[in-house]
Amino acid sequence: MQITIALAKGRLAEMAEDLLERCGLDVSELREDSRKLVFYDRKNDVRYLLVKPTDVPVYVDHGVADLGVVGKDTLLEAGRPLYEMLDLRYGKCDICVAGYAEKKRQEITSAVTRVATKYPRIAKMYYQQKGENIEIIKLNGSIELGPILGLSDVIVDIVESGRTLKENGLSVLETVCAVSARLVVNRVSLKTKYEAIAPLIAKMKEELEAEK
Ligand SMILES: Nc1ncnc2c1ncn2[C@@H]1O[C@H](COP(=O)(O)OP(=O)(O)OP(=O)(O)O)[C@@H](O)[C@H]1O
Ligand SMILES: O=P(O)(O)OC[C@H]1O[C@H](OP(=O)(O)OP(=O)(O)O)[C@H](O)[C@@H]1O
């Protein structure tokens, strides 16, 4: 029974390949420098799709992929009804509210806090919880520019080392949540392909335990 795994391209790809390899899967096709988007491990009857991180939850939710590997940030933002099976413990970072430190923040004059972010859903949920009214300004990258250019008061973005913030004169003001890569499964696939999926999840769990 073939299973399809959607993998996020970019930062998280290599670590996902390493983990799959340690679980006995053949990822050699994935490691080839090609422009292909679909890869196979024919021996283990696994098909891999290499897609944009934000598209991983889409493929898994639609059942085109049975499993997916993607960051918790992307999952929260997608808000799709997937089963999150494992915390893979790599790709670690935080989602934070960042901006100018207190002194400069007092200079903010806008009535409603303007929040620049690539994560409108997460930002909305976070401020709703706090009972604060905000205006979201959706950006797709270089989010730190928001407060610098006065486009926004703060940002909600990923912080890993903190270097980008520091080099742009900004600081973490609040931590929204911790992020790491997760294994997600389509709800129907978990039932219909249980015999193929369960051993793979068990093996991944074993590998992650051995790492501790
Ligand atoms: N320093 C970091 N910056 C951004 N993402 C990080 C960082 N550290 C870990 N991650 C994780 O890696 C994922 C982002 O990977 P990547 O940067 O390849 O994609 P992206 O820039 O969001 O995608 P796209 O190419 O679609 O813009 C995030 O969703 C997050 O889970
Ligand atoms: O705390 P740090 O280690 O500096 O990492 C955080 C930075 O990395 C990410 O940007 P990315 O490199 O994905 O570029 P982007 O601005 O295009 O999103 C994120 O949006 C921050 O800007």
Side-chain angles (χ1 to χ4, degrees):
M1 184 189 304
Q2 187 180 73
I3 54 169
T4 299
I5 309 177
L7 298 173
K9 277 199 245 189
R11 264 195 182 88
L12 300 176
E14 211 175 302
M15 290 178 277
E17 288 162 17
D18 289 348
L19 176 62
L20 293 169
E21 193 164 48
R22 293 207 313 275
C23 291
L25 297 184
D26 178 6
V27 296
S28 52
E29 254 198 38
L30 271 170
R31 293 207 195 273
E32 281 167 19
D33 184 23
S34 83
R35 299 192 68 90
K36 277 198 294 189
L37 300 170
V38 184
F39 303 86
Y40 293 91
D41 169 355
R42 293 183 203 281
K43 198 174 120 238
N44 293 296
D45 214 1
V46 176
R47 181 170 66 153
Y48 301 106
L49 310 177
L50 211 49
V51 302
K52 278 236 176 204
T54 46
D55 291 339
V56 170
V58 179
Y59 282 93
V60 178
D61 191 18
H62 284 268
V64 170
D66 304 301
L67 297 110
V69 177
V70 72
K72 179 69 179 174
D73 52 327
T74 309
L75 290 174
L76 286 171
E77 189 57 32
R80 288 179 182 261
L82 312 173
Y83 286 140
E84 191 182 306
M85 306 299 287
L86 288 177
D87 180 347
L88 304 177
R89 302 210 304 265
Y90 60 78
K92 284 188 179 173
C93 52
D94 292 311
I95 297 180
C96 295
V97 177
Y100 286 115
E102 209 54 49
K103 200 168 138 244
K104 283 209 175 174
R105 273 213 301 154
Q106 285 165 2
E107 291 162 17
I108 295 171
T109 51
S110 46
V112 174
T113 307
R114 297 161 305 156
V115 182
T117 187
K118 191 166 147 177
Y119 301 102
R121 186 169 187 269
I122 295 174
K124 253 180 226 158
M125 288 194 302
Y126 179 70
Y127 281 98
Q128 213 163 49
Q129 240 172 37
K130 299 203 331 160
E132 267 183 58
N133 235 338
I134 56 157
E135 179 196 343
I136 300 271
I137 299 163
K138 169 82 163 79
L139 292 179
N140 297 296
S142 305
I143 319 292
E144 291 80 2
L145 280 175
I148 294 172
L149 299 179
L151 174 69
S152 72
D153 301 310
V154 294
I155 61 172
V156 167
D157 196 22
I158 294 282
V159 179
E160 189 187 2
S161 65
R163 239 188 100 195
T164 312
L165 287 182
K166 194 163 175 234
E167 289 192 3
N168 289 289
L170 305 172
S171 328
V172 170
L173 304 176
E174 293 157 46
T175 300
V176 175
C177 66
V179 166
S180 55
R182 307 292 160 104
L183 177 77
V184 289
V185 179
N186 173 275
R187 300 207 289 189
V188 174
S189 300
L190 189 61
K191 293 195 188 89
T192 56
K193 298 189 177 181
Y194 189 80
E195 293 111 89
I197 291 173
L200 178 58
I201 293 176
K203 184 71 188 129
M204 277 191 182
K205 219 170 168 174
E206 211 179 288
E207 279 304 311
L208 292 167
E209 287 298 319
E211 251 176 28
K212 272 188 183 166

